[in-house]
Amino acid sequence: MLATLSHPGDTHTLYYLLLFILRVGIVMCCHPATSLCFRSLGRPFIQSHSIHYQLRTHLRRALCIASPPPNRQFAMGSLAAADEPLPPLRYPPARRDGDIVDDYHGVLVPDPYRWMEELESEEVKEYVGAQAALANAVLATCDHRGRLRGQLTALLDHPRYRAPFKRAGTYFYFHNPGLLPHSALYVQHGLGGEPSVLLDPGELSDDATVSLSMIGVSDDGEHLAYGTSASGSDWVTISVMRVRDRRRLPDALSWVKFSRIAWTSDGMGFFYSRFPAPKDDDGAPESGIRTDVNLNHEVYYHFLGTDQSDDVMCWKDPEHPKYIYTPEVTEDGKYVLLSVSESSEPVNKLYYCDLSALSHGLSGMKAKGTHEMLPFVKLVDEFEAFYGVVANDGTRFTIQTNKDAPRYKLSRVDVDDPQSWTDVLPEDDKAVLEYACAVHGDKLLVNYLSDVKYVLQMRSLATGELLHGIPIDIGSVNGITGRRGDSEVFVEFSSFLTPGIVYRCDLSSGTPEMSIYREITVPGFDRTDFEAKQVFYPSKDGTKIPMFVVSRKKIVLDGSHPALLFGYGGFGMSMTPQFSAARVVLMRNLRFVTCVANIRGGGEYGEDWHKAGSLANKQNCFDDFIAAGEFLVSAGYTSPSRLCIEGGSNGGLLVAACINQRPGLFGCALAHVGVMDMLRFHKFTIGRAWACDFGCSEKEEEFHWLIKYSPLHNVRRPWEKGAAGDQQYPPTMLLTADHDDRVVPSHTLKFLATMQHVLCRSVEQSPQSNPIVARIDRKSGHGCGRSTQKIIDEAADRYAFAAKMMGVSWID
């Protein structure tokens, strides 16, 4: 998944990339930038008045796995000699509890591995250790592991930049000169000033497992508030730094989750969201271990230099404990906005509070010690559509919405006359309005997605009239930074064959003038050796599905090439072109053809496309992905024995469901942090928010949808079906991490135990000779916040496994 965002007033919620083909292959939705916040309800999003990313709900992309306890380290093992055979596969025993049987609407469903949900138990720790040892033994035979690690390290050893954003004449941006564990936040005074490091996340821990999860700079550029998370957890601690001398203030805010940092214009403090501290609060979240459901989100205002216990309670709603609140302050500083969500669905309520109308201001509320909440006005109080504020001129708000517009539009309303809604930019006949942001006074920069290709335009904020088209190559606009008071905008771009370009767009004249501000170059990568193209193939029901195919130039379509097929298909997330160092190594040294299928369930064609792959229509996602594999085989790109499929989070579910349904079509499967138990996902952390896409087993109709494809409940012995070519499952690697508190690790552990039992341990002389293993990372989470070295190590392991299993040779 790449990154996205969206928020009222200046950015749009970024939801994942949900994992994705970022820099080294599949990196789950993480993206350091201006006010980087890792997505509500499980997806990261960036915020601040200056950075805009691909829009779509602030709570929409949230799905990936968690792994067991941190005590057991995944041993990597030493590189084995070439062509070393696999060791005898002796799968660790896993106790099966036959007494655990659930009654779902009259259907009895056994759950023999329920004990694996107790992640801190010694039994689970021992099981994880045994599985890690097995995976280590298999990886030790993978011939190309060391070569992959070396090539990935070399390709990533180059400077990388994010788009800068400006506060009071000072520029801030993220930069990694090469192989630092994490990108550092830099500051420079003026566009030509000397940059210096403001905050290096690598200095926050000895082992690089503490990362930045959100930042927010005050309007005057004087203070930086930043959130850190340990080991990839969604739990965040917010700290504050004074920019001019890098002095860290004593402020420390705990139990923050699914939040953003929203400074008030006076620089006195900021709004944020948190959950109540648990009864056993020891002062800091136990990341990666707490799997209880997150309820009773609350909004607070924090004054600089004060203790968290003195923060002003601004909003809570005990009658609706599942609501999630995202505060934001408009660029003029007059209003605080509150987006209210209950799930990852692209719908929200929208409230506002006029800060200038408070009789004593926020400081007065604090001084009086009042328990009254802010007097929010409920502009939209129904979960009927998505509403994201783009800009306001006094009481007149410009809002991006999908109200009666599945491809999104811009509307305007005067909050003093809440019935005065009018369309400013109507829904396009074909293209999806990904985001819009107000820049340079009265201008509007909009980004459309048309057949998974971006179109960038400058329009009038007042009328929506097209002023200028802004030419860009086929690729992805990953970010736009700029404010209405600025005459410049920065645009971040990348594609399958473009590592990254930051454009500076000068708006001071009548015509936008684009120039390259920074361009990322990768030593050893020559884009002229490769080609990227888009194809359309028919799915099972005849629907045309787009897919990107990237490979070396002039390959012969004789079915001999190894291929990597990646997919996601959920939560309205669009899989757009992104550069990946791992993809380059696979194509250059292993001669892979790499493919990204834009299956239904995503947002590539708006909400209709999304809904065609969700709830009762979820099977369309699997049909689309299977059809992509069939197309690649029939078109001569590859053959079943050389076709590897990969996906993470919702994409991990996709991969697992597809190997259950068509095991003989694939030569290898890599499933990252997947949602595998579709009957119980809603019982842990923020899983309840995904019912909008999946349904919920507590409802009878939806249970019958889920039981048909739930990976955990549909493992069958292919040889008993009698289907030619489907005599066993493909070699399978399930990937998870011990601090993933989005999709708890029990999803992967239970699915792993079920596969090994049904296909191997319960059968004498089983035909299942292909290995089924799990790579369990230590001190990592759903994907965000991993260090450069962890990213390299995981990519080397999973692709070495795939190459070994499919018999792919290395070419220097």
Side-chain angles (χ1 to χ4, degrees):
M1 31 154 294
L2 193 66
T4 66
L5 34 169
S6 158
H7 96 57
D10 57 4
T11 77
H12 294 89
T13 19
L14 159 66
Y15 236 174
Y16 0 226
L17 166 249
L18 196 130
L19 173 133
F20 298 29
I21 325 172
L22 196 75
R23 300 287 174 216
V24 186
I26 302 222
V27 178
M28 315 296 174
C29 294
C30 36
H31 204 147
T34 11
S35 308
L36 200 130
C37 276
F38 284 121
R39 259 182 232 206
S40 311
L41 296 200
R43 281 156 271 183
F45 59 82
I46 298 184
Q47 53 159 89
S48 96
H49 288 304
S50 79
I51 187 148
H52 306 257
Y53 275 73
Q54 304 184 116
L55 159 77
R56 209 69 68 224
T57 351
H58 38 231
L59 302 173
R60 266 173 82 193
R61 289 157 173 151
L63 294 152
C64 298
I65 300 188
S67 253
N71 324 48
R72 301 281 185 175
Q73 180 170 4
F74 182 91
M76 294 303 176
S78 58
L79 182 67
D83 300 322
E84 183 175 338
L86 283 175
L89 294 176
R90 297 186 177 88
Y91 293 109
R95 177 174 61 85
R96 292 174 58 81
D97 187 344
D99 294 333
I100 306 296
V101 180
D102 295 315
D103 185 339
Y104 291 96
H105 316 287
V107 179
L108 300 181
V109 181
D111 192 4
Y113 301 118
R114 179 75 57 84
W115 58 270
M116 292 186 179
E117 295 174 1
E118 301 296 327
L119 300 177
E120 296 180 90
S121 72
E122 286 302 317
E123 187 175 19
V124 170
K125 293 177 184 179
E126 291 176 7
Y127 179 73
V128 168
Q131 291 291 350
L134 172 66
N136 178 66
V138 171
L139 283 170
T141 70
C142 295
D143 316 334
H144 308 319
R145 194 176 175 200
R147 298 185 186 98
L148 279 164
R149 188 178 291 117
Q151 287 297 310
L152 287 169
T153 301
L155 277 181
L156 278 177
D157 192 6
H158 65 271
R160 300 183 291 285
Y161 298 89
R162 301 303 312 274
F165 65 98
K166 186 163 62 173
R167 292 290 183 276
T170 298
Y171 293 83
F172 301 82
Y173 64 94
F174 280 89
H175 168 54
N176 192 324
L179 296 174
L180 287 182
H182 304 282
S183 293
L185 179 62
Y186 281 70
V187 60
Q188 67 182 64
H189 302 288
L191 202 57
E194 184 68 25
S196 60
V197 175
L198 178 60
L199 180 63
D200 181 1
E203 297 177 354
L204 300 177
S205 61
D206 294 334
D207 57 1
T209 57
V210 173
S211 63
L212 281 181
S213 58
M214 65 177 76
I215 70 166
V217 178
S218 59
D219 286 0
D220 57 12
E222 289 294 320
H223 289 95
L224 164 72
Y226 60 96
T228 57
S229 65
S231 303
S233 172
D234 280 340
W235 289 110
V236 172
T237 298
I238 296 178
S239 304
V240 180
M241 172 189 291
R242 193 164 64 192
V243 172
R244 66 175 179 269
D245 57 6
R246 278 63 166 172
R247 179 177 167 235
R248 286 179 168 83
L249 303 185
D251 310 51
L253 313 181
S254 298
W255 300 108
V256 178
K257 199 175 192 182
F258 310 139
S259 178
R260 67 172 23 133
I261 296 167
W263 286 90
T264 45
S265 58
D266 58 11
M268 297 293 292
F270 51 85
F271 296 95
Y272 71 99
S273 310
R274 57 165 290 182
F275 288 98
K279 295 180 180 179
D280 59 345
D281 178 17
D282 60 358
E286 296 243 4
S287 59
I289 297 176
R290 295 185 180 274
T291 61
D292 47 306
V293 173
N294 302 140
L295 297 172
N296 297 305
H297 214 216
E298 301 167 338
V299 179
Y300 286 85
Y301 185 82
H302 175 73
F303 286 90
L304 290 185
T306 65
D307 190 82
Q308 186 175 17
S309 61
D310 296 325
D311 288 354
V312 176
M313 163 76 76
C314 298
W315 190 259
K316 66 177 180 178
D317 187 354
E319 293 184 4
H320 297 96
K322 295 181 180 180
Y323 283 6
I324 298 291
Y325 305 105
T326 306
E328 189 56 48
V329 177
T330 55
E331 189 171 340
D332 63 6
K334 184 177 180 180
Y335 298 95
V336 57
L337 308 170
L338 198 61
S339 177
V340 184
S341 300
E342 191 173 27
S343 71
S344 297
E345 188 177 7
V347 299
N348 64 290
K349 299 181 180 184
L350 184 61
Y351 304 164
Y352 70 91
C353 175
D354 186 347
L355 294 174
S356 65
L358 297 179
S359 58
H360 300 285
L362 289 163
S363 56
M365 291 179 66
K366 178 185 177 185
K368 292 190 302 180
T370 177
H371 295 290
E372 296 179 4
M373 296 185 294
L374 289 185
F376 279 99
V377 178
K378 298 178 179 181
L379 179 63
V380 178
D381 199 28
E382 300 290 338
F383 289 123
E384 59 178 7
F386 169 77
Y387 296 92
V389 176
V390 174
N392 74 293
D393 290 284
T395 59
R396 298 173 69 239
F397 282 66
T398 301
I399 294 176
Q400 182 171 9
T401 181
N402 57 12
K403 171 71 171 175
D404 301 321
R407 290 180 297 280
Y408 292 80
K409 64 181 179 181
L410 295 184
S411 298
R412 184 165 293 140
V413 63
D414 190 320
V415 296
D416 285 344
D417 181 9
Q419 304 304 316
S420 62
W421 290 84
T422 58
D423 287 349
V424 179
L425 182 57
E427 179 187 31
D428 190 82
D429 291 338
K430 183 180 179 182
V432 181
L433 179 61
E434 281 285 298
Y435 64 78
C437 54
V439 296
H440 193 42
D442 60 353
K443 296 182 177 63
L444 193 65
L445 194 58
V446 300
N447 195 22
Y448 282 101
L449 189 63
S450 178
D451 275 337
V452 207
K453 296 180 281 288
Y454 282 100
V455 178
L456 198 59
Q457 299 174 343
M458 187 69 71
R459 290 181 174 266
S460 165
L461 175 59
T463 66
E465 176 189 1
L466 177 63
L467 302 177
H468 303 281
I470 300 176
I472 55 173
D473 290 335
I474 295 177
S476 296
V477 175
N478 290 327
I480 297 175
T481 69
R483 281 183 157 188
R484 296 183 71 177
D486 299 332
S487 61
E488 64 184 355
V489 173
F490 293 91
V491 178
E492 219 176 274
F493 174 86
S494 69
S495 71
F496 290 119
L497 303 179
T498 303
I501 297 174
V502 177
Y503 292 101
R504 180 177 181 269
C505 184
D506 186 348
L507 305 174
S508 58
S509 63
T511 304
E513 297 179 4
M514 292 275 281
S515 60
I516 294 178
Y517 177 65
R518 287 187 172 118
E519 184 169 10
I520 297 172
T521 58
V522 178
F525 168 65
D526 184 352
R527 63 172 295 158
T528 63
D529 292 339
F530 306 94
E531 62 181 359
K533 59 185 177 181
Q534 187 181 43
V535 299
F536 290 80
Y537 65 89
S539 188
K540 182 178 181 179
D541 63 1
T543 302
K544 292 292 185 181
I545 311 297
M547 177 166 59
F548 290 106
V549 179
V550 190
S551 67
R552 293 182 66 87
K553 284 185 175 177
K554 299 179 180 179
I555 63 171
V556 178
L557 299 182
D558 58 2
S560 65
H561 309 285
L564 177 67
L565 173 60
F566 177 83
Y568 186 75
F571 299 91
M573 291 177 53
S574 302
M575 298 294 101
T576 61
Q578 300 294 336
F579 182 80
S580 162
R583 186 187 297 116
V584 171
V585 175
L586 292 177
M587 293 187 297
R588 185 181 63 189
N589 299 107
L590 294 170
R591 296 300 192 259
F592 267 76
V593 175
T594 60
C595 313
V596 179
N598 299 110
I599 63 178
R600 284 173 286 185
E604 287 84 352
Y605 294 98
E607 274 306 296
D608 289 345
W609 194 254
H610 168 215
K611 291 177 181 177
S614 64
L615 299 175
N617 299 318
K618 188 65 178 177
Q619 182 59 40
N620 285 338
C621 301
F622 314 135
D623 290 343
D624 291 355
F625 201 56
I626 288 169
E630 292 173 334
F631 170 82
L632 292 171
V633 171
S634 65
Y637 287 101
T638 189
S639 60
S641 64
R642 307 207 103 194
L643 174 58
C644 177
I645 55 173
E646 181 171 27
S649 195
N650 178 74
L653 157 64
L654 172 71
V655 168
C658 287
I659 60 174
N660 277 344
Q661 295 182 19
R662 286 293 302 278
L665 181 58
F666 312 111
C668 187
L670 307 174
H672 302 243
V673 292
V675 186
M676 306 305 191
D677 185 348
M678 302 308 298
L679 303 187
R680 290 177 59 80
F681 68 84
H682 60 288
K683 295 180 177 292
F684 306 98
T685 63
I686 202 61
R688 59 177 170 76
W690 314 327
C692 60
D693 238 55
F694 298 146
C696 179
S697 62
E698 294 177 4
K699 298 179 180 180
E700 183 172 2
E701 180 185 15
E702 297 175 5
F703 162 75
H704 288 290
W705 303 340
L706 295 166
I707 194 65
K708 290 178 181 178
Y709 70 80
S710 176
L712 180 64
H713 303 95
N714 285 279
V715 178
R716 304 286 186 269
R717 297 165 185 152
W719 55 88
E720 293 180 352
K721 298 178 183 178
D726 283 8
Q727 293 306 303
Q728 61 172 318
Y729 272 60
T732 300
M733 175 180 282
L734 307 178
L735 297 97
T736 188
D738 62 9
H739 280 65
D740 186 341
D741 48 13
R742 296 236 190 122
V743 185
V744 294
S746 55
H747 280 275
T748 290
L749 298 180
K750 290 165 69 174
F751 184 54
L752 175 69
T754 300
M755 290 184 72
Q756 291 178 351
H757 172 77
V758 172
L759 302 174
C760 305
R761 289 185 54 84
S762 63
V763 182
E764 292 186 12
Q765 297 181 332
S766 170
Q768 181 66 38
S769 59
N770 291 329
I772 300 165
V773 298
R775 186 190 193 277
I776 304 166
D777 202 6
R778 181 175 178 267
K779 300 188 76 174
S780 291
H782 197 61
C784 295
R786 289 187 302 169
S787 69
T788 299
Q789 191 59 55
K790 277 186 173 291
I791 292 170
I792 290 171
D793 289 342
E794 186 197 269
D797 284 356
R798 69 181 188 262
Y799 292 135
F801 175 80
K804 173 74 173 182
M805 296 302 111
M806 299 194 301
V808 180
S809 301
W810 183 271
I811 299 175
D812 287 319

